[in-house]
Amino acid sequence: MTQAVTDAFARLDIPMVVMSAPDPRLASRKGNLAFVGVDEENIGSQGAKYLASLGSFNAFGFVASYRGLPWSDLRKRGFLEAAKRFRATTTAFGGPERLSISPGSPDDVRKLEAWLLDLPKPAAVMADHDTRAAQVIECCRRLGLKIPKQVSLIGVDNDRVICDFTVPPLSSISLDHEQVGFRAAAQLAAMML
């Protein structure tokens, strides 16, 4: 969400349910606000544990879409904290700093490819969502890095269109978005009474 949109939401005095991790940029808002979502930090932790179950790695790396997105930052924190237990190098690729620069832009891809090359191999990598994981697969293909022999990868959201059509197919953590939607609707209804 851009800063202008966040500022506009912060000024509104209507019931609002945000389906995401708590966003500190909305802290100035007084009441009538709830955040409903999934346990983002646990998603990251589960990603690291799953990758560790596949074998021994020299590095664990997290790939974010943008720097400073609350949900992505929480996934990254969970992933890196869990990965420290496996006695390997831990690192993160932050992605673009500004929302005006798209993940997957030529500059972003160049930096992502350099980061992937620098990872000690074999490496376990988690992307903050499936679209970003597909970009990692494409970067690995261009660089000649073999998946999963040199880079094992997992995404988040289990988007069947992305997961089934990447080469190789993408493993992904499935989230119950429908349940989050039901909880958000119930929370909003309670706030409007």
Side-chain angles (χ1 to χ4, degrees), residues 35-189:
F35 292 92
V36 176
V38 295
D39 185 344
E40 304 291 0
E41 202 165 332
N42 188 48
I43 291 167
S45 177
Q46 293 304 314
K49 291 174 187 174
Y50 170 76
L51 288 166
S53 76
L54 301 177
S56 180
F57 295 98
N58 293 325
F60 281 76
F62 185 87
V63 178
S65 298
Y66 290 103
R67 296 177 193 186
L69 291 176
W71 59 269
S72 182
D73 287 348
L74 289 168
R75 290 178 186 181
K76 176 178 70 176
R77 182 167 62 201
F79 179 84
L80 295 175
E81 284 299 315
K84 287 178 186 175
R85 298 182 202 127
F86 306 117
R87 301 193 190 325
T89 300
T90 57
T91 184
F93 178 77
E97 293 180 34
R98 296 184 314 275
L99 293 177
S100 61
I101 299 173
S102 175
S105 68
D107 185 53
D108 175 59
V109 167
R110 183 179 47 76
K111 290 175 183 175
L112 178 57
E113 287 178 347
W115 181 83
L116 286 165
L117 284 173
D118 285 344
L119 279 177
K121 311 299 184 287
V125 175
M126 179 176 179
D128 63 0
H129 62 84
D130 291 340
T131 301
R132 193 58 158 164
Q135 291 170 345
V136 171
I137 289 173
E138 185 60 24
C139 287
C140 287
R141 186 192 61 74
R142 277 194 301 277
L143 296 169
L145 296 174
K146 304 294 183 226
I147 297 173
K149 187 173 182 169
Q150 293 174 292
V151 177
S152 289
L153 176 67
I154 191 166
V156 179
D157 288 328
N158 202 28
D159 183 320
R160 300 311 326 153
V161 172
I162 295 171
C163 295
D164 291 345
F165 291 99
T166 58
V167 177
L170 176 63
S171 295
S172 182
I173 297 171
S174 184
L175 305 180
D176 192 351
H177 294 295
E178 187 174 295
Q179 184 61 36
V180 171
F182 286 131
R183 288 194 335 246
Q187 182 71 37
L188 184 59

